[in-house]
Amino acid sequence: MTGVEDAPRTDPGADSRPDPRGLGGRFWRLWSASAVSNLADGIVKIALPLIAVGLTSSPVLVAGVVAAFSLPWLLFALPAGALVDRLDRRRVMLAANTLRAGLFGATAVAVALDAGSIWLLYLVAFGAGVAETLYDTSAQSILPQVVPRELLPRANGQLHAVELAANQFVGPPLAGFLVAASAALALAGPAGLWAVAVAALLLVGGRFRVERNGPTTLRADIAEGVRFLWRHRLLRTLATMVGGSNLITSAIFAVLVLYAVGPGSAMRLTEPGYGLLLTTIAAGIVLGSLVAGRIEKLLGRARALGVSVVAMAAVVGVPALSTNPFVIGAVFFGGGILLAAWNVITISLRQRITPDRLLGRVNSSYRLLAWGSIPIGALAGGLLAELFGLRAVFAIMGVLAFTLLFGMLQVTDANIDAAERDAAN
């Protein structure tokens, strides 16, 4: 298996090679664009359903707005990856953020003029979701063209930390304040943030379009990316493990609120207390993103990934063993650190061992497998709770999480090193 580590671009006069001196100014401008874009995402995911509640009293229609926003990942993830490998990746990011800014800006004007409707929100949510598939796939695929490959863990850690902080910590509460002020302002805010992200991306110099061997169809491109992922045993194993992990975690988080909130629940938390409980895992992930490189050096990649699987099993299973929110919060925090290490290590590895010309398609195929299991897991969690009770969901999923350790028979340091050698040839 051969790979193109730094393939020449279609415009040889434009330098898009990584800065050999370190992360470099282009990375930090990309980081800034990611921070602002994810802040907009964090506002949108809370603001859209809140605005929908003001337009309809139907729970189905309100839930449909959230579904419309996530549906493009199932419908367009693979075509998005193919397009990212055909086009200049920075320009795809620019186009995606411009589209999102335009959609939300126009909708803000419509709402301010009392011309808003639930159907308009559906259209905007779906359009923003399509743009998100393009932006996120491009953002992961462009990074090896911006920083040296040996610095990818550090770069991914910095990006992961700021993305989570903006998306999970700052965006949601800010969305509440904006919606309370006015629905139009809650829509205009993300539009303005995406416009700022566009300005930051315009400052990222270079061309980021990879060389192609000749004209092909979009269908052939998609098939090539899926085929590469499936035939690469290491990547296939990691993708399958992530899909299983997301199924398991979505199952427990789908019912955790019923287990934790209210005087009749097992944990007897208030709504704010539940929010604080969830914050512990998010805080762990932010910290873990920043120290993932140190964890990798301390334990080695394979051992760090194996410990991360055990940590995920602990996060999933601890509510079956204890109802003490401080115990659960501590496990959530520690587990979050190691879950972040998994993400940083595996994303960096995928960027290293995938040929540059295939990276967009492999990233989108990987995400389709990883994210496609989430609704299945949520449904499984609800069904298990109905049949066996809430505590049984955590026990069953905790045991199931340990089965992911079988994947570590393939994910060894020797196999990781071999995959990187193959990609460098």
Side-chain angles (χ1 to χ4, degrees), residues 9 37 56 108 123 201 215 251 273 282 289 304-305 362 377 384 386 397 401 405:
R9 276 57 184 184
S37 288
T56 178
L123 177 63
L201 285 169
S289 299
L305 293 177
V362 171
L384 288 172
E386 287 281 350
M397 290 300 161
L405 287 171

Side-chain angles (χ1 to χ4, degrees), residues 247-334:
L247 184 149
I248 291 166
T249 54
S250 65
I252 69 110
F253 282 110
V255 300
L256 181 61
V257 65
L258 298 172
Y259 189 74
V261 178
S265 68
M267 295 178 66
R268 300 185 179 182
L269 293 177
T270 63
E271 286 82 356
Y274 181 64
L276 287 174
L277 179 67
L278 295 183
T279 299
T280 59
I281 192 167
I285 292 174
V286 170
L287 177 60
S289 299
L290 297 175
V291 301
R294 297 180 184 179
I295 294 173
E296 179 181 332
K297 289 180 181 178
L298 178 65
L299 299 178
R301 283 182 290 188
R303 187 176 291 112
L305 293 177
V307 172
S308 298
V309 174
V310 175
M312 190 270 289
V315 167
V316 170
V318 67
L321 302 175
S322 174
T323 59
N324 187 316
F326 295 101
V327 172
I328 295 174
V331 174
F332 277 12
F333 178 75

Side-chain angles (χ1 to χ4, degrees), residues 160-404:
H160 200 239
V162 75
E163 287 169 2
L164 185 73
N167 204 300
Q168 300 290 336
F169 285 117
V170 183
L174 182 56
F177 286 114
L178 291 174
V179 173
S182 108
L185 184 60
L187 293 165
L193 289 169
W194 279 316
V196 172
V198 166
L201 285 169
L202 287 171
L203 299 176
V204 179
R207 304 271 180 159
F208 301 93
R209 184 174 182 175
V210 297
E211 184 182 71
R212 294 176 59 82
N213 295 327
T216 58
T217 65
L218 197 64
R219 181 177 179 179
D221 283 354
I222 292 171
E224 185 182 17
V226 173
R227 190 163 52 245
F228 179 89
L229 175 62
W230 190 250
R231 290 179 177 176
H232 197 296
R233 184 177 297 177
L234 180 61
L235 284 178
R236 184 180 73 233
T237 302
L238 289 171
T240 303
M241 291 175 72
V242 171
S245 173
N246 284 340
L247 184 149
I248 291 166
T249 54
S250 65
I252 69 110
F253 282 110
V255 300
L256 181 61
V257 65
L258 298 172
Y259 189 74
V261 178
S265 68
M267 295 178 66
R268 300 185 179 182
L269 293 177
T270 63
E271 286 82 356
Y274 181 64
L276 287 174
L277 179 67
L278 295 183
T279 299
T280 59
I281 192 167
I285 292 174
V286 170
L287 177 60
S289 299
L290 297 175
V291 301
R294 297 180 184 179
I295 294 173
E296 179 181 332
K297 289 180 181 178
L298 178 65
L299 299 178
R301 283 182 290 188
R303 187 176 291 112
L305 293 177
V307 172
S308 298
V309 174
V310 175
M312 190 270 289
V315 167
V316 170
V318 67
L321 302 175
S322 174
T323 59
N324 187 316
F326 295 101
V327 172
I328 295 174
V331 174
F332 277 12
F333 178 75
I337 294 174
L338 289 163
L339 291 174
W342 169 283
N343 286 334
V344 171
I345 292 170
T346 56
I347 290 171
S348 302
L349 178 62
R350 189 164 75 243
Q351 290 167 338
R352 283 195 187 109
I353 65 181
T354 303
D356 210 11
R357 65 183 184 84
L358 287 170
L359 190 52
R361 284 167 281 173
V362 171
N363 279 335
S364 63
S365 300
Y366 196 101
R367 282 194 165 197
L368 180 63
L369 182 59
W371 290 15
S373 63
I374 291 176
I376 299 172
L379 178 61
L383 291 174
L384 288 172
E386 287 281 350
L387 293 172
F388 305 111
L390 289 170
R391 181 166 289 192
V393 177
F394 306 109
I396 293 169
M397 290 300 161
V399 172
L400 186 60
F402 279 107
T403 66
L404 298 179

Side-chain angles (χ1 to χ4, degrees), residues 58-79:
S58 168
V60 174
L61 290 178
V62 172
V65 174
V66 179
F69 188 68
S70 59
L71 184 61
W73 278 105
L74 290 177
L75 299 180
F76 297 112
L78 295 180

Side-chain angles (χ1 to χ4, degrees), residues 13 21 24 28 46 51 53 66 96 119 121 127 130 142 145-146 170-171 195 201 212 225 242 251 264 272 309 315 382:
R21 298 167 296 180
W28 291 111
I46 301 300
I51 295 171
V53 169
V66 179
W119 309 115
L121 279 192
V130 172
I142 198 175
Q145 298 168 275
V146 175
V170 183
L201 285 169
R212 294 176 59 82
V242 171
V309 174
V315 167

